[in-house]
Amino acid sequence: MDLKELLVKRLESFMTLTTEDDFLLDYSLDKVKTTVINIANIKDIPADLSFVIVEKATAEFLVFKKGTGNLDIESIDLDGLTASIQEGDVKYESSYGKGALTPEQRLDMLINKLLSYGDNEILKFRRLAW
């Protein structure tokens, strides 16, 4: 599966896409790929960075849609993004869809998390520039 297909599936897991979103999907993906290539000083994206690219492109897509006023925040299923993991006495809960925050605040939290996702993984592939 290529990166665009992964991006589409990721976004469709919590929102509905239309054919009008195709340009923004490509733009988001190209922007993130170019940024990663420049940060890491590499020529091609390694397969190990696929999910980093998809998560960051998801955030860029949401930022573009929100910035242009074309994002219906109420239609995004943030409840589906809630994760709860429990190991013994330790419980981790990521609650984008719960609490006293407004849907826009929860969306902003999600976007910020996705924008910073995998930054350390990108540095693993960093090459020196001569």
Side-chain angles (χ1 to χ4, degrees):
M1 193 176 303
D2 72 348
L3 290 175
K4 185 172 181 182
E5 290 177 48
L6 286 172
L7 175 60
V8 168
K9 292 212 179 282
R10 174 70 169 120
L11 285 164
E12 287 178 337
S13 70
F14 59 89
M15 67 183 294
T16 303
L17 297 176
T18 66
T19 55
E20 295 169 358
D21 293 327
D22 201 44
F23 170 77
L24 280 181
L25 290 167
D26 290 333
Y27 185 82
S28 301
L29 199 53
D30 289 343
K31 179 180 179 192
V32 171
K33 285 165 52 174
T34 301
T35 300
V36 169
I37 284 171
N38 289 334
I39 289 171
N41 192 31
I42 54 179
K43 293 183 181 181
D44 297 311
I45 302 289
D48 291 347
L49 289 178
S50 296
F51 293 107
V52 172
I53 300 292
V54 169
E55 294 297 289
K56 287 182 173 295
T58 299
E60 290 292 343
F61 177 84
L62 293 171
V63 167
F64 292 142
K65 290 283 279 190
K66 184 179 175 196
T68 59
N70 293 321
L71 183 63
D72 181 14
I73 296 171
E74 298 295 328
S75 70
I76 296 176
D77 181 18
L78 292 172
D79 291 333
L81 297 173
T82 302
S84 180
I85 302 169
Q86 184 164 356
E87 287 279 333
D89 293 339
V90 178
K91 184 174 184 178
Y92 170 76
E93 194 164 335
S94 171
S95 55
Y96 298 113
K98 295 182 180 177
L101 300 175
T102 67
E104 185 171 5
Q105 290 171 323
R106 292 191 303 255
L107 179 64
D108 289 341
M109 285 176 55
L110 172 65
I111 289 171
N112 289 334
K113 182 173 174 120
L114 292 175
L115 282 174
S116 64
Y117 177 83
D119 287 344
N120 291 334
E121 292 179 52
I122 295 170
L123 295 178
K124 175 183 172 187
F125 294 92
R126 176 87 172 107
R127 301 286 184 245
L128 294 176
W130 295 99

